[in-house]
Amino acid sequence: AQTVTQSQPEMSVQEAETVTLSCTYDTSESDYYLFWYKQPPSRQMILVIRQEAYKQQNATENRFSVNFQKAAKSFSLKISDSQLGDAAMYFCAYRSAYAGNNRKLIWGLGTSLAVNP
Amino acid sequence: GAVVSQHPSRVICKSGTSVKIECRSLDFQATTMFWYRQFPKQSLMLMATSNEGSKATYEQGVEKDKFLINHASLTLSTLTVTSAHPEDSSFYICSASSLGDQPQHFGDGTRLSIL
C-alpha cells in the first residue's frame, strides 16, 4: 500500500523569505500523481500544485514550485517570497494513475506553516 | 472553473436528528465524489467514494447505514448522517473529480455539531 509522510508537523518562515516543506512517499507503482493542497484557517482545501510522475520537469505555479525526485520518492514544496496569506496547513497527497474509477488520494499528516511578519 | 459547492456550512442539532449535507459541482460533471471527515488539526480521513449512478464504496470502519451516500446525478452527491450523536460531531468535506487525470476539487466543508 502507498504511504505519504510529512516529517515536519510545524514550520515557520519570515515574510518575503523562502521555505521548503518536505514530503516523501512510498509506492511500487511507476505512474502516479502527486499534489500539494493548502488548508487555511477557513478550512477550505485549495489545490496548490500537482505533478505527474512521468514528467521529469518540476511543476511550478507562480511562487510555488516543487522538487520532484522520483528515485528518492521525494516531493518537496518550495514557497518563495512568503506572504502572510500563505499561513495554512499544507497537505501532500498521492494518487495512483492505475486506479480506474477509484481515484482516491493518500494523504500525509500535514505541515502547519506560520508566516511571521 | 472547477467549483464545488457544499451546503450547509454549519449545522447544530439535537442528538437523534438526521442531517443531510449536499455537495454540488457547479461547472463540471463529477463522475466521482469523495466524502471526508476531518478532526481538529488532523489530516483528512476518507469515508467513502461514490460514482454517479452506483453504490458508494465505503472505507473500512465506516458504517454505511450510519452515513448514507447518494450520487444520483453528475453534479450532486449527498451525505446523510442518520440518527446523529455527539460522537458524529466533526468537520465533513466533500470533493469532486471528473474523468481522466483531473484532480479533486473540494467544497468548503460542513461543521456538524450534535448536542
Side-chain angles (χ1 to χ4, degrees), chain B residues 10-28:
Chain B
R10 184 85 162 96
V11 180
I12 303 172
C13 56
K14 293 181 179 179
S15 184
T17 306
S18 291
V19 178
K20 179 183 283 189
I21 303 170
E22 291 188 350
C23 182
R24 293 180 184 272
S25 58
L26 299 185
D27 53 1
F28 67 100

Side-chain angles (χ1 to χ4, degrees), chain B residues 9-58:
Chain B
S9 59
R10 184 85 162 96
V11 180
I12 303 172
C13 56
K14 293 181 179 179
S15 184
T17 306
S18 291
V19 178
K20 179 183 283 189
I21 303 170
E22 291 188 350
C23 182
R24 293 180 184 272
S25 58
L26 299 185
D27 53 1
F28 67 100
Q29 293 186 326
T31 51
T32 307
M33 286 186 170
F34 304 85
W35 287 96
Y36 296 88
R37 185 171 178 174
Q38 187 180 31
F39 293 101
K41 298 188 177 182
Q42 293 190 21
S43 189
L44 280 73
M45 181 187 77
L46 180 65
M47 300 174 65
T49 302
S50 72
N51 292 302
E52 183 265 337
S54 58
K55 289 184 179 180
T57 301
Y58 288 81

Side-chain angles (χ1 to χ4, degrees), chain A residues 25 27 29-34 51-54 68-71 73 94-98:
Chain A
Y25 57 95
T27 184
E29 298 175 333
S30 59
D31 199 10
Y32 47 86
Y33 304 95
L34 295 164
Q51 174 82 42
E52 290 88 347
Y54 64 85
F68 173 48
Q69 301 289 327
K70 190 172 184 179
K73 295 178 183 174
Y94 169 104
R95 197 191 90 195
S96 171
Y98 301 106

Side-chain angles (χ1 to χ4, degrees), chain A residues 49-112:
Chain A
I49 201 165
R50 79 171 201 169
Q51 174 82 42
E52 290 88 347
Y54 64 85
K55 290 185 177 179
Q56 292 186 338
Q57 187 173 8
N58 289 325
T60 63
E61 284 290 339
N62 300 313
R63 296 183 296 108
F64 298 87
S65 62
V66 297
N67 183 3
F68 173 48
Q69 301 289 327
K70 190 172 184 179
K73 295 178 183 174
S74 172
F75 183 60
S76 61
L77 174 70
K78 185 171 82 171
I79 307 174
S80 304
D81 186 24
S82 297
Q83 300 175 0
L84 295 177
D86 295 333
M89 280 289 288
Y90 286 82
F91 293 98
C92 179
Y94 169 104
R95 197 191 90 195
S96 171
Y98 301 106
N101 283 334
N102 182 8
R103 291 170 284 149
K104 63 182 181 181
L105 292 168
I106 310 299
W107 296 87
L109 294 180
T111 296
S112 178

Side-chain angles (χ1 to χ4, degrees), chain A residues 11-21 36-42 44 46-48 61-65 77-91 111-117:
Chain A
M11 292 280 286
S12 64
V13 63
Q14 289 296 125
E15 196 175 3
E17 297 294 309
T18 295
V19 65
T20 298
L21 308 184
W36 278 98
Y37 280 90
K38 168 186 177 181
Q39 189 178 37
S42 64
Q44 180 187 16
I46 302 165
L47 176 64
V48 175
E61 284 290 339
N62 300 313
R63 296 183 296 108
F64 298 87
S65 62
L77 174 70
K78 185 171 82 171
I79 307 174
S80 304
D81 186 24
S82 297
Q83 300 175 0
L84 295 177
D86 295 333
M89 280 289 288
Y90 286 82
F91 293 98
T111 296
S112 178
L113 177 67
V115 180
N116 302 315

